[in-house]
Amino acid sequence: MAFKNTSRWTFSNVLPVVFVLGIIGMIWWTYVTCHLLGLHRSEVHERTHMNLVEAIVSQTLVILMLICFVRAVCTDPGSVPDTDDWTGKTGSRTGASSEPQVPIAPPCHEVKQNGERRFCNKCTKYKPDRCHHCRVCNSCVLRMDHHCPWIANCVGFRNHKYFLLLVFYSFVNCCFIGISMGGTVLGSMEEEMDLAFRFALVFGMTLTMVMGGLLGSFLGFHTWLTCQALTTIEFCEKSSTFSRSISYDQGLFENIRAVLGPRVFLWLLPVSPPSGDGLTFFVHGEFKAFPTQDEVHALLSSKPEEDSSAAAPEVTGAKAAAV
Ligand SMILES: [Zn+2]
Ligand SMILES: [Zn+2]
């Protein structure tokens, strides 16, 4: 399923992305010209081993950060398939009067408070567990975390890893630049240099520290959410009694694998996204909100006359378990 959505590329949505690239470019330019190359100095600066190490490390971090940025922006976060079982064309979602009365959509655990299956009227599809509709992207997004204006994209099942790594490498970059450029900034207070370079150094350092502080808190929050098997939306919905009854927690290691992918040695690289289809998830305290396809067929073949009431006991049971 391709990422067909083009409505997100409006001027107002692109502006924050350009802003982020501008900040990255500004800090990078300051670091390279004023710190690594020392262009602000009147005499030729002697290159040291440390200079070379700093250049290699900082540019590697920048490249990793930019790859994560591009992948977070361009990767489809995941949408609901166009197949009949998700569009509901072969079943009834309300169990009202049309045939067959039992919903055919794949099983899920999250249902509405009245026991009905979650259905998106805009996409005209059933919503799998953890899926939400994004008004900006105008699409239902699998395991939606939030819509991020800075990448003009939703953070969902397929690009969550790239988003997390983007925040991680941005934070590490800020820390590395802040520590390695600190001496140059302090030195600029005593050295003779062009005022523009001095301003660039102080401004670049201030920007780096502010961004580092913001990214550090954001990274801490998202790391905690990942360890708890929560998305930002689920964290915000925690006050709801209904939502609290469902937990996707599989233990620390599996929770991290569910976001960073199955191979531990590739966790910090922008490759190897998590396995799975983003439609079904491990649920703590397994209970069924709706019957599976096999159960539907078994039910229909064994009790042909009772089809009009077949969905009711399952829904009631799920509702009772959820509340
Ligand atoms: Zn939708
Ligand atoms: Zn979105």
Side-chain angles (χ1 to χ4, degrees):
M1 99 209 74
F3 197 21
K4 296 168 276 198
N5 171 19
T6 51
S7 63
R8 64 189 179 123
W9 292 117
T10 59
F11 179 73
S12 56
N13 288 347
V14 168
L15 215 56
V17 179
V18 175
F19 181 72
V20 168
L21 288 172
I23 289 182
I24 292 173
M26 210 180 293
I27 294 176
W28 179 84
W29 180 86
T30 307
Y31 188 75
V32 171
T33 56
C34 299
H35 176 70
L36 290 180
L37 300 176
L39 294 185
H40 59 285
R41 294 188 172 92
S42 41
E43 73 273 20
V44 178
H45 182 57
E46 196 184 319
R47 301 276 182 272
T48 61
H49 256 329
M50 188 55 95
N51 257 141
L52 187 65
V53 171
E54 284 176 354
I56 292 170
V57 173
S58 64
Q59 299 318 292
T60 306
L61 288 172
V62 169
I63 290 168
L64 281 167
M65 181 182 70
L66 288 177
I67 293 173
C68 293
F69 185 75
V70 171
R71 298 213 76 175
V73 171
C74 298
T75 304
D76 179 354
S79 47
V80 184
D82 290 320
T83 50
D84 282 353
D85 49 353
W86 287 107
T87 53
K89 284 176 185 163
T90 55
S92 162
R93 69 186 171 90
T94 57
S97 56
S98 59
E99 280 199 36
Q101 294 294 317
V102 181
I104 305 295
C108 71
H109 303 85
E110 294 182 15
V111 290
K112 290 193 277 186
Q113 296 222 346
N114 62 6
E116 280 186 17
R117 180 123 204 186
R118 297 191 312 141
F119 190 83
C120 177
N121 291 320
K122 296 192 178 78
C123 303
T124 57
K125 289 175 187 174
Y126 288 114
K127 287 183 185 174
D129 288 340
R130 316 185 84 177
C131 173
H132 298 276
H133 184 85
C134 173
R135 278 184 232 163
V136 183
C137 299
N138 196 28
S139 170
C140 275
V141 176
L142 300 182
R143 201 184 66 196
M144 181 175 171
D145 189 89
H146 68 288
H147 180 87
C148 177
W150 307 112
I151 59 170
N153 199 2
C154 261
V155 178
F157 179 70
R158 298 193 197 289
N159 67 345
H160 200 162
K161 173 175 183 172
Y162 308 132
F163 173 78
L164 259 190
L165 289 185
L166 169 65
V167 178
F168 172 74
Y169 282 117
S170 304
F171 174 68
V172 173
N173 256 306
C174 286
C175 291
F176 187 81
I177 290 172
I179 292 167
S180 58
M181 199 166 74
T184 309
V185 176
L186 288 176
S188 72
M189 302 299 155
E190 292 155 10
E191 281 180 54
E192 278 291 315
M193 68 167 67
D194 196 280
L195 192 64
F197 276 118
R198 183 175 286 134
F199 174 78
L201 270 171
V202 174
F203 182 72
M205 186 56 135
T206 310
L207 200 55
T208 304
M209 288 174 74
V210 170
M211 292 306 296
L214 292 173
L215 286 163
S217 350
F218 200 63
L219 179 65
F221 175 60
H222 274 271
T223 306
W224 178 80
L225 285 179
T226 302
C227 295
Q228 300 290 317
L230 282 172
T231 62
T232 304
I233 292 176
E234 287 160 1
F235 172 78
C236 296
E237 283 178 345
K238 266 189 116 182
S239 54
S240 153
T241 313
F242 171 70
S243 300
R244 260 206 309 267
S245 64
I246 299 174
S247 168
Y248 298 100
D249 191 355
Q250 305 177 69
L252 183 63
F253 183 67
E254 288 301 324
N255 290 347
I256 297 173
R257 278 185 60 175
V259 174
L260 296 184
R263 296 178 188 87
V264 179
F265 60 95
L266 294 177
W267 275 3
L268 292 182
L269 292 178
V271 291
S272 180
S275 49
D277 56 9
L279 299 167
T280 49
F281 300 94
F282 168 90
V283 174
H284 227 20
E286 193 84 18
F287 64 88
K288 292 188 182 73
F290 281 86
T292 63
Q293 295 265 20
D294 290 344
E295 285 168 339
V296 168
H297 295 312
L299 202 62
L300 288 171
S301 57
S302 63
K303 296 179 185 174
E305 318 89 305
E306 294 174 18
D307 57 349
S308 61
S309 58
E314 293 286 353
V315 173
T316 313
K319 196 177 171 186
V323 176

